[in-house]
Amino acid sequence: MAMHVSSACFSALSERRVPRVRAVASENVTTEDDKVQLGGSDLKVTRLGIGAWSWGDTSYWNNFQWDDRKMKAAKAAFDVSVDGGITFFDTAEVYGSRASFGAVNSETLLGRFIKERKQKDPGVEVVVATKFAALPWRLGRQSVLAALKDSLNRLELSSVELYQLHWPGIWGNKGYLDGLGDAVEQGLVKAVGVSNYSEKRLREAHTKLQKRGIPLASNQVNYSLIYRAPEENGVKSTCDELGITLIAYSPIAQGALTGKYTPENPPSGPRGQIYTPEFLTKLQPLLNRIKEIGEKYSKTNTQVVLNWLIAQDNVVPIPGAKNGEQAAEFAGALGWRLNSEEVTELRALATEIKPVTGFPVEKL
């Protein structure tokens, strides 16, 4: 999911022309419960994962408070996801940062949930992805290995399936990539990826790891029906070209595409500064059409927009689930498919809406 930044760091993006992007759509798909290979790695993940950015967080989510009730809700989100066959979870060392008052580290919570689940169901297999924070004082490959080992301690695991660079560093990126390669060779991770990487940085990372015989499995970026910067800046086409899976964080635009929020009822907290009543007013025609299409399939807005992303091919969305109800709804995005006309129509309608935010690191 996203890197942790304050709402003041969000920046408006200018409206840009959208090139054609390949979309795979079929009217007769009845099941999608098979796993997909992550890039050129040997790792397979569910077609949709769960983001754990909000778990334990008090700086952006949860109305700046974390308590036992919210912890139980997060645990329910984990269990319901696994019960529904979604076993891919994404976290990061900075989610639920100790710098935030009252926060609990997301890795700690995920590790606890996995441990409790395995006590009841020893055969359950959970795929864990976490991320390295490219902080300015972290230098060299050893900083990656040290941070990874700290993450493993919090997760109470001996290895993770996917380790990602959370954002490009101000400096030291070659050393970070060396650290990813070392982590693979030491058996601490099965696959490696990056996040918030531009086309140029993506190619450089792919080439450097390829020289060691290690595939760059993924690039995790902000991507949704109303935020299609990866299509415009070459990231999506480069992922497709190089065989790198695009992991989409904020795939429901932090709730804006669910239909839950209206101009009269905008989201609370920092999100209210992004998805303003003015923006939500402009969004209503698209939301109305999403609802109409959903009714055809007996699906919710959330399930339609997640299915739209899956239809783009080579994309694994990771919506954030804060409770069991949300997790169950996300699972309903699988097992069916929008037809090609609907995919195209929704893109056309969304193109009329000016994107609102992006993380500044995308332009580093």
Side-chain angles (χ1 to χ4, degrees), residues 264-285:
E264 297 75 29
N265 178 40
S268 60
R271 288 181 297 157
Q273 301 177 36
I274 305 166
Y275 303 107
T276 62
E278 180 183 6
F279 178 80
L280 291 170
T281 298
K282 297 176 181 178
L283 192 61
Q284 290 310 301

Side-chain angles (χ1 to χ4, degrees), residues 42-103:
D42 294 330
L43 178 62
K44 291 187 175 182
V45 301
T46 48
R47 292 183 182 273
L48 183 145
I50 297 296
W53 179 16
S54 69
W55 295 0
D57 178 71
T58 59
S59 62
Y60 190 85
W61 300 99
N62 303 307
N63 294 318
F64 311 109
Q65 295 180 344
W66 185 255
D67 53 32
D68 186 62
R69 179 180 62 82
K70 292 173 183 174
M71 191 277 291
K72 291 179 179 177
K75 175 64 162 57
F78 173 84
D79 284 329
V80 170
S81 296
V82 174
D83 290 341
I86 297 175
T87 56
F88 178 37
F89 294 87
D90 177 82
T91 183
E93 61 175 322
V94 296
Y95 296 163
S97 170
R98 289 175 296 177
S100 301
F101 180 76

